Amino acid sequence: MAIIMGGYSSEFEISLNSGQVVYETLDPAKYNAHRIHVFKNKWVYVDTDNQEHAIDMNDFSVTIKNTKTTFDCVFNAIHGTPGEDGFMQGYLELLNIPQTSCNMYQAALTFNKRDCLSTLKPYGIKTAESYYVNFGDAIDEDAIIAKVGLPCFVKANKAGSSFGISKVYKKEEFVKALEVAFKEDDEVIIESFLDGIEVSVGVITYKGEVTVLPITEIVSNNDFFDYQAKYLGQSHEITPARLSTEQEEKVRTIAKKVYEVLKMKGFSRSEYIFKDGEPHLLEVNTVPGMTKASILPQQAAAAGISLSDLFGNAIEECLKK
């Protein structure tokens, strides 16, 4: 089997860490795992001596000393493009190679924050007020403020949750915030600020059942849950979250509904903020971090699921298809 990691986005280093943890954790007696680094300029198999061997993208194989190796499944650990936006899913589906993340359409839909939230609204899923801007559009700051208010968040629409995001307090800050977002994507989503408890909810298919993991409360040391808070330890992640029974039941029910409405499979981690007692969905991640410090593995541990079982289950589930 292959573990794909890296990718083309700003999150490639996090992905390499995730993929390495998967590689080191899987039981070698059960799985013959191969590390595949995927970058814009090369796709390579990295052997046990850290030597690189080119991947044949015609059939996703590697040939070493005239011996060709193919893979019966792929563990997807690529955050961002091309692993989280549908491209890799489509490629592997064409080659009839099963993989651990959701299908192509679900990946593309959830990676596009605007389209995902729009799809879920008719199902009663609450979200922040939003305003959309495409690269090249005329910017009407007054219209934006009238719709979403201040402060607000300016986010790259199709990018990982930690890059291309700014919190804007004043009208004069929009130009800089849009520059930051447009470095990551040509579409931007601007959302109203929701002031409340922020939680992250992992939902997975575990042993054939849709399973909501223990909820994590996010308490950022920074102004919001940015890259430094998420990956550099500048936050407190409290699992299980400090929620009332009613709050917990509401967000668990909604997170499961989102997973099932979207016809997800594999891993997912969705983010919510409570406003007026109701969870409001921010986004859905389909290839969440898999390092030992990452949120979803923390949640699995709280549920009594070891990393080895978590990763092994993902492989077994994808091989059922």
Side-chain angles (χ1 to χ4, degrees):
M1 61 153 294
I3 305 167
I4 55 173
M5 60 190 90
Y8 306 165
S9 78
S10 302
E11 293 186 274
F12 76 93
E13 290 183 354
I14 307 300
S15 171
L16 292 175
N17 290 338
S18 289
Q20 185 64 26
V21 169
V22 175
Y23 177 71
E24 292 170 357
T25 302
L26 284 171
D27 183 354
K30 293 178 69 175
Y31 305 106
N32 183 16
H34 294 68
R35 293 173 295 174
I36 309 296
H37 288 189
V38 173
F39 298 111
K40 279 185 178 178
N41 62 336
K42 63 180 180 181
W43 289 24
V44 292
Y45 158 57
V46 181
D47 66 22
T48 53
D49 296 320
N50 289 322
Q51 298 298 307
E52 296 183 350
H53 308 270
I55 292 291
D56 183 346
M57 293 171 65
N58 291 295
D59 59 0
F60 197 64
S61 67
V62 62
T63 300
I64 303 171
K65 296 179 181 177
N66 296 320
T67 300
K68 181 174 179 173
T69 299
T70 56
F71 306 102
D72 52 10
C73 75
V74 170
F75 192 108
N76 182 9
I78 296 178
H79 313 313
T81 189
E84 201 167 4
D85 55 3
F87 285 101
M88 190 62 74
Q89 288 84 350
Y91 166 74
L92 293 171
E93 190 170 333
L94 287 172
L95 295 175
N96 200 30
I97 302 173
Q99 50 87 35
T100 56
S101 57
C102 61
N103 293 330
M104 177 184 71
Y105 174 73
Q106 283 73 15
L109 177 63
T110 51
F111 197 68
N112 187 311
K113 298 179 182 74
R114 176 190 67 195
D115 293 356
C116 182
L117 296 174
S118 299
T119 298
L120 289 168
K121 275 183 181 178
Y123 292 90
I125 307 300
K126 294 180 171 57
T127 64
E129 284 289 341
S130 56
Y131 188 102
Y132 307 125
V133 179
N134 294 328
F135 186 75
D137 286 355
I139 306 302
D140 185 341
E141 289 95 340
D142 292 326
I144 296 170
I145 294 168
K147 180 76 181 294
V148 303
L150 289 173
C152 64
F153 285 102
V154 177
K155 304 177 180 180
N157 185 45
K158 303 187 300 294
S161 57
S162 307
F163 293 92
I165 179 169
S166 304
K167 189 174 182 181
V168 169
Y169 289 88
K170 297 183 292 187
K171 178 178 175 179
E172 296 75 28
E173 295 170 355
F174 274 110
V175 172
K176 177 62 176 175
L178 287 166
E179 284 177 4
V180 169
F182 281 131
K183 284 179 182 175
E184 298 291 331
D185 187 28
D186 60 359
E187 297 174 358
V188 166
I189 180 170
I190 303 171
E191 292 181 324
S192 60
F193 168 62
L194 301 176
D195 189 10
I197 300 169
E198 181 170 355
V199 295
S200 184
V201 189
V203 184
I204 63 174
T205 302
Y206 188 70
K207 297 183 177 178
E209 298 289 331
V210 175
T211 302
V212 183
L213 296 172
I215 298 162
T216 299
E217 180 181 349
I218 307 297
V219 183
S220 176
N221 298 348
N222 302 337
D223 199 18
F224 59 94
F225 195 45
D226 58 8
Y227 180 90
Q228 286 74 22
K230 185 173 289 187
Y231 296 122
L232 301 181
Q234 296 176 18
S235 68
H236 298 291
E237 296 157 7
I238 302 165
T239 310
R242 300 168 298 182
L243 299 176
S244 68
T245 302
E246 181 185 15
Q247 286 174 320
E248 182 176 347
E249 189 56 38
K250 278 183 178 179
V251 77
R252 288 179 68 87
T253 299
I254 289 169
K256 187 178 184 195
K257 183 177 182 179
V258 166
Y259 191 94
E260 292 175 336
V261 162
L262 295 177
K263 298 183 179 178
M264 295 287 296
K265 68 183 185 73
F267 300 106
S268 79
R269 197 193 72 233
S270 47
E271 322 296 335
Y272 300 84
I273 290 180
F274 281 88
K275 180 187 177 187
D276 301 326
E278 298 294 329
H280 287 57
L281 176 65
L282 300 180
E283 63 178 11
V284 179
N285 300 285
T286 60
V287 187
M290 289 296 163
T291 68
K292 295 180 178 82
S294 298
I295 292 172
L296 193 135
Q298 287 181 38
Q299 296 175 342
I305 302 170
S306 69
L307 274 183
S308 180
D309 284 344
L310 183 69
F311 300 153
N313 174 79
I315 295 166
E316 301 305 325
E317 288 292 327
C318 89
L319 289 173
K320 289 179 183 178
K321 304 297 184 283

